[in-house]
């Protein structure tokens, strides 16, 4: 049975805390991304195609911190990271620090399928994406007025300011197809005002992104430095394989461990059986899911709402 789950980031969002128009845009964007992935799976398509389609939809949507609409680095430019992985052979591809490639998740897939490597960064990744015929755009194309405002507001607090009310805007998608193969995709613009070429967990296989047909496909969002230290996405799969934990228990346990290490965030996951689960330790997490049985949910806060 096919199943698809997506997320648009976790963080401090609470009911009534968001501008109504922004909340509606995010809600609608989750629905549109769900549609993009569902169209692939409902026609018998592969999990890897479905997660790429869902992630691309969110990269194109300025409501999310990935692709167009990514947060700005300290000096005002955008840098995008992305990763994709399929569970049958555990092939993976990732990119970090992209500034001009319009579709970071498609660049990650090109690394997986068209190169002998797993992770490419910055100028080299951009050169490879260009060689693969992926569309290039000016860095200003990614920038939105709202993201510029957020950067200006944060920098006004001082050079060492950190956004205490942060929303980890990473986007992600996980899916299992009719053949029982799983896949995961994750894409992000990172943290507002990031410096020194900072890279989080999203493009690191086993940290923010992982897929294994023997266990699950996982995509994470949260304080990347702690998710890296916990090898979070792989740890979920390891708990399932070696400790016989169910999907929900494994997610909850890993997030509890991350909490003990000082981190917060969330994860989504699907298993080859079609089981799907999410877990988060922040006030809210943009998330949605659908499956072959007709389940369809779009939720943003603690309570679950249906679209």
């Amino acid at each position: 049975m096919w199943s698809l789950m997506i997320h648009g980031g976790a963080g401090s969002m609470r009911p009534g805390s968001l501008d109504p128009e922004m909340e509606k845009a995010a809600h609608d964007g989750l629905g549109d991304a769900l549609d993009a992935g569902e169209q692939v799976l409902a026609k018998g398509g592969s999990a890897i195609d479905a997660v790429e389609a869902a992630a691309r939809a969110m990269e194109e949507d300025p409501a999310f911190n990935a692709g167009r609409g990514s947060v700005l680095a300290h000096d005002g430019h955008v840098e995008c990271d992305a990763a994709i992985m399929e569970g049958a052979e555990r092939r993976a591809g990732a990119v970090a620090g992209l500034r001009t490639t319009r579709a970071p998740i498609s660049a990650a897939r090109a690394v997986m399928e068209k190169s002998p490597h797993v992770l490419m960064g910055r100028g080299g990744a951009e050169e490879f994406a260009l060689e693969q015929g992926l569309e290039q755009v000016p860095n200003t194309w990614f920038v939105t007025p709202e993201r510029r405002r957020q950067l200006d507001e944060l920098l006004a607090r001082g050079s060492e300011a950190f956004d205490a009310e942060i929303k980890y805007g990473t986007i992600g998608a996980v899916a299992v197809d009719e053949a029982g193969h799983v896949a995961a995709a994750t894409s992000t613009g990172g943290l507002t005002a990031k410096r020194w070429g900072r890279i989080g967990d999203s493009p690191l296989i086993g940290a923010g992104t992982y897929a294994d047909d023997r266990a699950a496909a996982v995509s994470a969002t949260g304080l990347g430095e702690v998710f890296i230290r916990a090898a979070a996405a792989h740890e979920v799969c390891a708990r399932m394989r070696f400790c016989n934990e169910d999907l929900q228990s494994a997610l909850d346990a890993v997030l509890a461990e991350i909490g003990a290490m000082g981190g917060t965030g969330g994860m989504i996951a699907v298993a080859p059986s079609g089981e799907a689960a999410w877990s988060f330790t922040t006030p809210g997490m943009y998330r949605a899911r659908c499956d072959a049985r007709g389940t369809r949910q779009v939720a943003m806060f603690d309570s679950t709402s249906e679209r």
Side-chain angles (χ1 to χ4, degrees):
M1 181 188 75
W2 66 261
S3 182
L4 171 69
M5 183 172 287
I6 64 175
H7 72 76
S12 60
M13 344 50 107
R14 297 173 176 85
S17 66
L18 301 176
D19 178 275
E21 290 187 4
M22 294 176 63
E23 183 174 331
K24 182 180 186 302
H27 190 279
D28 291 347
L30 288 168
D32 291 342
L34 205 63
D35 289 342
E38 181 181 15
Q39 288 173 10
V40 174
L41 294 168
K43 295 177 181 178
S46 67
I48 197 75
D49 286 344
V51 296
E52 182 185 16
R56 280 289 292 123
M58 288 186 279
E59 286 180 341
E60 288 286 309
D61 191 330
F64 302 105
N65 175 18
R68 185 166 183 264
S70 289
V71 298
L72 305 187
H74 190 271
D75 62 1
H77 71 273
V78 166
E79 290 187 357
C80 298
D81 307 330
I84 196 167
M85 186 171 184
E86 57 86 21
E89 299 179 13
R90 281 174 286 164
R91 296 182 303 154
V95 290
L98 296 184
R99 297 193 183 192
T100 62
T101 300
R102 179 168 178 164
I105 198 64
S106 296
R109 185 168 182 179
V111 172
M112 179 180 77
E113 296 181 338
K114 306 295 184 180
S115 86
H117 308 304
V118 171
L119 175 61
M120 296 184 187
R122 298 187 174 275
E126 218 89 73
E127 180 182 355
F128 175 77
L130 183 61
E131 289 178 0
Q132 297 305 310
L134 296 179
E135 182 179 357
Q136 303 296 300
V137 295
N139 194 256
T140 53
W141 181 85
F142 297 98
V143 179
T144 65
E146 174 60 19
R147 296 306 191 194
R148 177 69 65 183
R149 184 199 66 77
Q150 290 172 359
L151 176 65
D152 291 344
E153 181 181 283
L154 188 60
L155 293 181
R157 302 179 195 171
S159 60
E160 301 302 318
F162 183 77
D163 189 357
E165 289 297 304
I166 197 166
K167 175 185 178 294
Y168 303 109
T170 305
I171 65 95
V174 293
V176 56
D177 56 35
E178 290 288 358
H181 298 308
V182 299
T186 312
S187 183
T188 189
L191 294 177
T192 300
K194 63 184 179 181
R195 302 177 69 182
W196 309 298
R198 181 264 184 189
I199 297 170
D201 63 310
S202 297
L204 302 186
I205 303 304
T209 308
Y210 200 70
D212 186 344
D213 277 3
R214 299 172 299 175
V218 184
S219 177
T221 174
L223 185 56
E225 282 70 15
V226 181
F227 279 73
I228 293 170
R229 290 161 54 202
H234 181 271
E235 184 74 2
V236 171
C237 294
R239 284 178 171 273
M240 294 177 69
R241 290 180 59 210
F242 303 125
C243 302
N244 294 316
E245 291 187 9
D246 62 73
L247 190 60
Q248 189 69 61
S249 297
L251 288 174
D252 293 343
V254 173
L255 282 172
E257 182 178 346
I258 287 171
M261 297 168 67
T264 59
M267 290 188 284
I268 59 172
V270 296
S273 65
E275 179 187 7
W278 57 45
S279 185
F280 55 98
T281 57
T282 49
M285 181 170 77
Y286 293 168
R287 59 206 190 275
R289 65 178 177 179
C290 62
D291 60 35
R293 294 176 296 190
T295 299
R296 186 179 180 87
Q297 293 178 302
V298 177
M300 302 176 69
F301 309 111
D302 283 333
S303 60
T304 298
S305 60
E306 293 191 359
R307 184 171 186 255

